[in-house]
């Protein structure tokens, strides 16, 4: 069986999840990750993570786990590369930014093609030297006027039209 182990911090707690090739999911064949528990198999509640952000699946053709971006406005970054469209292979030690949440691929366990013996490689966490503010900033897109407000305004509503931002989409602000 092919497995991928993810690790991240959420609400000051270390969290881990294992993704298995062929595991039951909301979208058969892949595991969807985001903030919306209805659409996602793996929920990360941080406001900088989109409702439906990415999906990870095992690609039999390349014998690797692959991350696919599902958002044009809040693309993930994998190992320093922004994934605006398409897919990118993951490996042990890969660093994924979903909004401001840093997700690390802690381990990948693959059964070689036509060989039932598995190999698991676990790497120690690698230090991350990139400050989050150098990667991007995030805001909330007003569902009414579509202007972007900072997260600090969430409890006060859109600064332009006053609409509640409680259900607003998280978006990447590029400068």
């Amino acid at each position: 069986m092919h497995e991928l182990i993810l690790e991240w911090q959420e609400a000051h707690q270390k969290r881990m999840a294992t993704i298995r090739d062929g595991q039951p999911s909301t979208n058969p064949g892949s595991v969807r990750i985001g903030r919306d528990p209805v659409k996602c198999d793996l929920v990360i509640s941080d406001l900088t993570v989109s409702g439906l952000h990415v999906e990870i699946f095992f690609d039999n053709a390349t014998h690797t786990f692959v991350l696919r971006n599902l958002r044009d406005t809040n693309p993930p970054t994998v190992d320093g590369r922004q994934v605006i469209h398409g897919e990118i292979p993951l490996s042990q030690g890969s660093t994924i930014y979903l909004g401001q949440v840093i997700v690390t691929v802690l381990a990948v366990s693959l059964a070689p093609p036509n060989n039932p013996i598995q190999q698991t490689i676990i790497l120690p966490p690698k230090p991350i030297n990139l400050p989050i503010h150098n990667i991007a900033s995030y805001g909330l897109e007003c569902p009414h006027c579509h202007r972007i407000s900072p997260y600090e305004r969430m409890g006060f509503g859109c600064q332009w039209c006053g609409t509640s931002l409680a259900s607003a989409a998280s978006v990447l602000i590029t400068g």
Side-chain angles (χ1 to χ4, degrees):
M1 170 167 300
H2 312 299
E3 293 182 339
L4 178 91
I5 300 173
L6 301 175
E7 180 181 69
W8 69 97
Q9 288 258 328
E10 187 172 0
H12 305 290
Q13 293 184 1
K14 187 182 291 187
R15 303 235 355 238
M16 294 178 73
T18 300
I19 296 175
R20 293 178 179 86
D21 179 27
Q23 78 183 49
S25 66
T26 56
N27 188 50
S30 70
V31 172
R32 291 191 165 183
I33 302 172
R35 209 174 62 231
D36 186 341
V38 174
K39 297 177 183 175
C40 299
D41 305 295
L42 179 56
V43 177
I44 300 176
S45 60
D46 187 276
L47 292 176
T48 64
V49 176
S50 295
L52 179 59
H53 208 121
V54 297
E55 63 184 355
I56 296 176
F57 61 95
F58 185 77
D59 183 355
N60 285 311
T62 61
H63 203 67
T64 59
F65 280 94
V66 177
L67 178 139
R68 179 182 293 143
N69 177 26
L70 299 175
R71 296 285 305 181
D72 290 334
T73 58
N74 191 9
T77 302
V78 177
D79 296 329
R81 287 185 39 211
Q82 215 175 39
V83 184
I84 296 173
H85 299 288
E87 305 165 350
I88 190 165
L90 299 172
S91 58
Q92 290 90 356
S94 286
T95 301
I96 305 163
Y97 281 82
L98 299 177
Q100 294 179 355
V101 176
I102 303 167
V103 181
T104 302
V105 177
L106 192 61
V108 175
S109 177
L110 300 174
N114 301 321
N115 186 345
I117 299 173
Q118 288 187 326
Q119 293 180 324
T120 302
I121 300 171
I122 299 178
L123 297 177
K126 64 181 181 181
I128 298 172
N129 297 323
L130 297 174
I132 291 175
H133 65 273
N134 285 347
I135 293 181
S137 61
Y138 294 86
L140 296 170
E141 181 179 358
C142 176
H144 180 71
C145 71
H146 302 287
R147 291 185 175 164
I148 310 300
S149 294
Y151 282 112
E152 298 79 36
R153 299 261 331 147
M154 185 171 176
F156 303 105
C158 176
Q159 59 191 0
W160 291 279
C161 71
T163 301
S164 170
L165 297 173
S167 65
S170 175
V171 295
L172 178 66
I173 301 171
T174 57

